[in-house]
Amino acid sequence: MTTTRPSISRLSERRQQKPAAGSMEKTTDSQRPFARINFILMAVCLAMIIIGFILMSGPGSSVEGGFNPDIFSTRRIVVGPTVSFLGFLLMAFAIIYTPKSRRTRRND
């Protein structure tokens, strides 16, 4: 079985078609999936989630075989989970949100 080699002219054509390794095309703002405001909103939501988990944390029962009513405090049962849940909901909004400047460009 014989294999055919590509001619030298075809090889040079392939080299000319490929971009150079060091020359990368710049992406414009319209090509990126998220705008700067999306990243800011996601950072705020991540901070809310972390704060909610910190509010839920605390010492457990310190008495061996005893009961510590602090594990049922309002901060740990209501406030912490609410802050975390709102952080997760707002994170979904931050991902989906499209700034007005991008909305008008897409409609054009």
Side-chain angles (χ1 to χ4, degrees), residues 6-108:
S7 66
I8 295 174
S9 62
R10 286 185 186 168
L11 289 174
S12 63
E13 287 174 9
R14 288 183 190 169
R15 286 185 189 139
Q16 290 174 357
Q17 291 174 354
K18 292 182 182 178
S23 64
M24 294 183 62
E25 293 181 25
K26 278 191 140 185
T27 57
T28 61
D29 287 340
S30 62
Q31 292 174 332
R32 294 184 181 149
F34 296 122
R36 181 179 175 149
I37 188 72
N38 293 94
F39 289 113
I40 292 170
L41 290 172
M42 286 189 275
V44 169
C45 294
L46 182 65
M48 283 181 66
I49 294 168
I50 291 171
I51 289 170
F53 275 96
I54 289 171
L55 289 172
M56 285 187 275
S57 69
S61 182
S62 59
V63 179
E64 186 80 27
F67 176 72
N68 185 358
D70 188 43
I71 62 172
F72 296 111
S73 69
T74 303
R75 174 184 61 92
R76 293 174 80 176
I77 287 185
V78 177
V79 178
T82 303
V83 171
S84 290
F85 183 68
L86 287 175
F88 282 114
L89 284 179
L90 292 175
M91 181 68 79
F93 171 76
I95 292 171
I96 295 171
Y97 178 72
T98 305
K100 280 187 177 181
S101 60
R102 288 186 181 225
R103 277 186 253 154
T104 56
R105 280 190 233 148
R106 285 186 186 168
N107 292 338
D108 292 342

